[in-house]
Amino acid sequence: MSEIIKMIKEAIGKLEKKREELTVAEEEKLKRLSKELEELKSIPMENTLQSRIAPTGRGAVFQLRKVFYATLSDKGYDRDLSVAEWKKTVSKLIDFMNEKRLSEIPTKIIIEYDEVEENGKKYMKFKKARIFYFELAGSHILEFE
């Protein structure tokens, strides 16, 4: 995650240098992108489950599942309560991704959770998912002869 934050800071610096050369429409797009990049810096590092960038949204969910079960056993959460929460959360996540057609494009998912204690049992309660998807921005052809 620290690598991503470093890359974001570098991108913001590059964007600031290019700002002087932009048209009004490009300036508005740059402001929107800068705001999104600033929001990324506010993602907490603790109490999150994160997938890597996967080739598809389904792959990101699969990676997230492995991270969930590793965290579950590593931190000693109650398995039954946490798995019940996980099933509700991942069901909503999959429905949302299918609705937005994100299941077939490169995706990274970060889920934030709270550590909740109820009746002496500690479990994971999920708060928010951030879904980052990556679309083709363009292409170039380089021919070798």
Side-chain angles (χ1 to χ4, degrees), residues 49-125:
L49 303 176
Q50 300 185 36
S51 71
R52 297 184 310 265
I53 297 174
T56 65
R58 284 192 300 260
V61 172
F62 179 73
Q63 290 177 11
L64 207 56
R65 178 181 165 269
K66 293 193 300 186
V67 171
F68 165 72
Y69 281 103
T71 304
L72 181 65
S73 62
D74 186 44
K75 294 195 176 180
Y77 294 118
D78 181 79
R79 186 173 184 83
D80 294 333
L81 291 173
S82 294
V83 169
E85 285 292 322
W86 169 254
K87 287 180 180 179
K88 287 191 297 191
T89 301
V90 81
S91 176
K92 288 179 185 177
L93 178 64
I94 290 170
D95 289 343
F96 178 82
M97 291 178 68
N98 287 337
E99 177 185 317
K100 299 293 184 183
R101 299 180 186 212
L102 300 176
S103 60
E104 295 297 327
I105 59 176
T107 307
K108 175 182 179 66
I109 304 170
I110 301 173
I111 295 183
E112 296 176 36
Y113 66 90
D114 283 331
E115 192 174 281
V116 178
E117 191 165 338
E118 191 174 283
N119 298 329
K121 296 180 180 180
K122 185 171 69 168
Y123 68 98
M124 301 165 79
K125 179 129 177 103

Side-chain angles (χ1 to χ4, degrees), residues 20-36:
E20 298 161 2
E21 306 167 6
L22 301 177
T23 65
V24 174
E26 291 172 326
E27 179 73 26
E28 290 302 316
K29 185 176 181 180
L30 179 62
K31 285 180 183 177
R32 182 180 55 81
L33 290 173
S34 292
K35 181 181 175 190
E36 290 175 8

